Amino acid sequence: MFAACGSDNPTVITPQPPRGIVVLDGFIQPGLTFLGDTGTATTKLALAPATEFDAGGFTLERDTVLAVSSRGAGDLLYIADVRTSTFRRIQLPTRSNPSRARLFRGSNGQTLIAAALRDSSAIALVSVVGSGTPTITRIGNAGLCPTDMFVYDNATWVVDANSNCRSNYAVQGDVRLIRIPNTGSTRDTIVMTGMRGSGASAIVLGDVAFISAGGDASFASFPYTLLNSGSIAKVDLRNRRVQSTRGMPSGSYGASTKLGLDGFLYVSLYENLSAFAGRIVKVRTDDLSFVSNGTSGFLELRTAAGDAVNCGSGQADALGRVHCLVNGTGSATSLVVFTPGFVETRRVSAGQGGVDLAIR
């Protein structure tokens, strides 16, 4: 609720249900599955054969979906229009191993999309005008393994996973946030002390960025060895300093973070490296404290029968309802929705091989 100063003519904004839910099917039949807030009807937009698509996540910018395939699947950028259920595929630099794409600017038929190129230590800037041929320029020297980026205060900020992404993804040091000004050559680097992971990302709210990384583990032999759990850092962009850092629950691995439409952060991760049960952590943005209905720090999401729900990706809508993806037999995907009190209220088919979701 937002109110004007004083008591005259207060303005109240009532949270609204989603316009829809977008699910990324990352394997078997790669594409997007579109669902409404109610009912069972779905629409599928196929993006590519499984041999040339391996995206584990996507970005929803207004009505545009951005996803990339790594070097093993062709170094491709996918731009999909949710409204028209159409998409365009763009070739990124060969063997650049893109990690994530973001919409930097879009107006008057011109679009500028940024893509983090892990193996090139660079950010690709893809300029697209209508259906014309795109042009690609680069911002070089953007860290050891850039995995995300955003624009703030006349600069491009790069999230550097600081890992050997060209070969074995071995962590080389703490995650870094690198500020690259639009003019001049002076760069600033903010070290996320203690934050490790070959995958790292950013969420920006005003003058604050939330940087998250999934942790570090050795998968050379079973049982796997956890070296560091994932974590989140809150960064003051204006003063260029880390305000606070919060580690994920002990023994967990991963920290795929989304901003819920209810204003909380929702982190998807594995409870441990043995059963790989998918869990969700709800985090306050002010102090990075956990909001939980149990004692573990994780959200206890259960069916009406009391069975734990293995949630692979989660986010809340403006009404506080948690949406999550569950992959069952044959990787058949279901969208499961819980009330603000964490009671299952909806379960509907949502494609196959679901790896990520976003709420419109």
Side-chain angles (χ1 to χ4, degrees):
M1 177 182 296
F2 300 86
C5 294
S7 59
D8 295 333
N9 301 318
T11 301
V12 177
I13 300 176
T14 302
Q16 298 296 313
R19 290 185 292 156
I21 299 97
V22 182
V23 173
L24 175 65
D25 305 314
F27 54 96
I28 302 178
Q29 295 180 333
L32 299 170
T33 298
F34 306 120
L35 303 94
D37 183 50
T38 59
T40 60
T42 62
T43 302
K44 178 67 180 284
L45 173 61
L47 291 178
T51 54
E52 68 170 41
F53 192 87
D54 61 0
F58 69 100
T59 303
L60 177 64
E61 305 276 5
R62 296 189 286 275
D63 289 319
T64 300
V65 166
L66 302 173
V68 296
S69 285
S70 74
R71 65 171 179 264
D75 303 294
L76 298 168
L77 167 65
Y78 295 85
I79 309 171
D81 188 325
V82 174
R83 296 166 302 177
T84 61
S85 194
T86 58
F87 79 97
R88 181 176 184 180
R89 184 179 63 180
I90 294 175
Q91 180 67 59
L92 292 173
T94 303
R95 296 195 63 77
S96 59
N97 200 19
S99 168
R100 183 184 297 269
R102 300 262 187 206
L103 180 65
F104 267 21
R105 185 175 65 249
S107 63
N108 299 322
Q110 299 184 4
T111 302
L112 183 66
I113 296 170
L117 307 181
R118 288 176 288 187
D119 289 8
S120 302
S121 297
I123 302 298
L125 299 177
V126 183
S127 179
V128 180
V129 180
S131 59
T133 301
T135 59
I136 301 177
T137 58
R138 297 195 197 194
I139 299 174
N141 190 23
L144 179 62
C145 178
T147 52
D148 203 355
M149 64 268 118
F150 58 90
V151 172
Y152 173 82
D153 192 28
N154 297 315
T156 298
W157 298 64
V158 178
V159 180
D160 175 25
N162 200 9
S163 299
N164 189 1
C165 294
R166 291 182 177 87
S167 58
N168 59 3
Y169 293 91
V171 171
Q172 303 299 299
D174 293 334
V175 171
R176 300 176 291 197
L177 184 59
I178 303 171
R179 178 184 179 273
I180 304 175
N182 294 342
T183 58
S185 58
T186 302
R187 298 189 177 195
D188 298 290
T189 298
I190 304 173
V191 177
M192 309 287 113
T193 303
M195 177 178 287
R196 300 295 182 97
S198 58
S201 62
I203 293 173
V204 181
L205 284 176
D207 296 328
V208 173
F210 298 94
I211 310 300
S212 59
D216 188 14
S218 173
F219 296 98
S221 62
F222 190 82
Y224 304 129
T225 302
L226 179 67
L227 304 175
N228 296 92
S229 288
S231 56
I232 298 178
K234 183 176 182 179
V235 180
D236 176 354
L237 297 175
R238 186 164 299 280
N239 294 299
R240 303 174 197 172
R241 64 183 182 88
V242 177
Q243 291 182 319
S244 58
T245 303
R246 181 65 186 261
M248 293 299 103
S250 177
S252 66
Y253 180 76
S256 178
T257 306
K258 295 180 179 295
L259 178 64
L261 277 63
D262 60 349
F264 291 89
L265 298 175
Y266 288 84
V267 185
S268 303
L269 41 67
Y270 293 118
E271 182 175 0
N272 53 53
L273 290 179
S274 54
F276 285 93
R279 303 297 295 270
I280 301 294
V281 176
K282 181 178 180 179
V283 183
R284 294 184 177 90
T285 57
D286 55 354
D287 61 1
L288 299 184
S289 62
F290 294 168
V291 179
S292 179
N293 57 333
T295 60
S296 64
F298 304 111
L299 290 183
E300 298 296 334
L301 303 177
R302 298 186 178 277
T303 67
D307 299 323
V309 175
N310 192 336
C311 188
S313 178
Q315 184 181 19
D317 61 21
L319 302 176
R321 300 177 301 180
V322 177
H323 296 55
C324 82
L325 294 183
V326 176
N327 285 327
T329 303
S331 297
T333 302
S334 296
L335 171 71
V336 184
V337 183
F338 298 85
T339 68
F342 310 114
V343 176
E344 182 178 330
T345 186
R346 183 187 184 200
R347 183 179 290 254
V348 59
S349 176
Q352 187 178 23
V355 294
D356 197 11
L357 67 80
I359 300 172
R360 298 175 61 215

